[in-house]
Amino acid sequence: MNKLPELKAAIFDLDGTLLDSMHIWDTFGEAYLKSIGVAPREGVNRAVGNLSIVQAAQYFREEYGVPFTEEEIMDGINRLAEKCYREEALLKKGVREFLEKLHAQGVKMCVATATDRYLVDAALTRCGVRQYFSEIFTCTEVGSGKDEPEIFRRALAFLGEKRQNTVIFEDALYAVKTAKADGFFVCAVYDPHERNADTLRALADMYVMGMDEPENNAG
């Protein structure tokens, strides 16, 4: 297994990487449609599982004829997730200690996530780690999902470090594919909701079961 490079900057995914919160997004397609009285078809959760909130809103309008604006659909999706972020979701194994160590070493850190900013802020503040991140980048604000590299490029530009000294921490295969194809060093983080763990392990530069593992390999 590779070790982390000389680390000067880190870009963290939120759900499934920092937070144990992927269960919310595994079923949000079905949950949202039921909440507005629309019968979901088989496979809807898979269809929207790797989409940003904006992309999911577009999908519901196009595939289900949901008669709301994209903004109204996004608000509805976020309302379903609010309780989890405001009250329930916890940090994953080793996260707090790893962030503390990187902060002490002067590593610049930010978040790049498909979850909207106010939910990210609420969860990280409640968990006591918001102060470690100089910025939050969201797919909604960037204008593209993690099937495109723009969110990672924006985060890198903001952090102001070289790509070879920056690591992306991600749990989702599709996002790891995007980051790797764009030339980033990627540390994949185990999450039980990612069904393609073997493929993820083979693709990533580094694969860890918890954040106590990269802590032991940090330069």
Side-chain angles (χ1 to χ4, degrees):
M1 176 179 290
N2 293 335
K3 286 194 173 186
L4 294 178
E6 183 183 353
L7 190 56
K8 294 185 177 179
I11 301 168
F12 288 89
D13 172 56
L14 182 75
D15 301 293
T17 300
L18 295 174
L19 285 184
D20 186 10
S21 51
M22 277 305 298
H23 59 283
I24 290 295
W25 301 109
D26 275 354
T27 57
F28 87 91
E30 181 178 337
Y32 173 71
L33 291 171
K34 287 181 176 179
S35 76
I36 60 171
V38 174
R41 297 190 290 269
E42 184 177 355
V44 65
N45 291 325
R46 291 192 300 275
V48 299
N50 290 339
L51 302 182
S52 69
I53 296 177
V54 175
Q55 291 170 326
Q58 293 167 347
Y59 176 87
F60 290 137
R61 282 171 55 84
E62 294 169 3
E63 297 296 324
Y64 283 85
V66 173
F68 304 137
T69 66
E70 289 179 10
E71 290 75 16
E72 289 170 335
I73 296 172
M74 290 163 60
D75 287 344
I77 294 170
N78 282 333
R79 281 195 297 272
L80 291 174
E82 273 194 33
K83 190 173 188 293
C84 175
Y85 290 95
R86 292 192 184 280
E87 302 176 17
E88 299 171 351
L90 299 176
L91 296 176
K92 294 186 71 174
K93 177 184 177 184
V95 166
R96 185 184 308 279
E97 294 78 10
F98 188 50
L99 296 178
E100 288 172 351
K101 180 170 184 175
L102 294 186
H103 177 70
Q105 293 175 343
V107 175
K108 302 174 184 177
M109 294 180 276
C110 67
V111 173
T113 177
T115 300
D116 277 357
R117 178 181 294 269
Y118 82 103
L119 297 176
V120 182
D121 268 323
L124 294 180
T125 299
R126 176 177 52 80
C127 291
V129 295
R130 176 62 181 88
Q131 71 274 16
Y132 295 127
F133 302 104
S134 54
E135 185 57 282
I136 295 168
F137 291 88
T138 73
C139 292
T140 298
E141 294 171 351
V142 169
S144 63
K146 288 186 178 179
D147 53 338
E148 300 178 16
E150 183 63 22
I151 191 169
F152 301 126
R153 293 176 180 177
R154 294 266 193 102
L156 178 65
F158 174 85
L159 292 171
E161 295 292 344
K162 295 179 179 178
R163 191 175 298 236
Q164 61 263 33
N165 298 122
T166 302
V167 173
I168 292 177
F169 293 88
E170 265 284 357
D171 69 295
L173 177 59
Y174 82 103
V176 170
K177 285 180 177 178
T178 300
K180 282 289 296 174
D182 208 47
F184 283 95
F185 186 105
V186 180
C187 178
V189 181
Y190 169 76
D191 189 87
H193 296 85
E194 173 53 68
R195 299 179 180 87
N196 299 292
D198 290 341
T199 305
L200 187 64
R201 184 189 294 270
L203 178 64
D205 298 287
M206 184 175 178
Y207 184 88
V208 296
M209 297 299 293
M211 284 298 185
D212 53 340
E213 293 182 35
E215 179 181 358
N216 294 333
N217 290 301

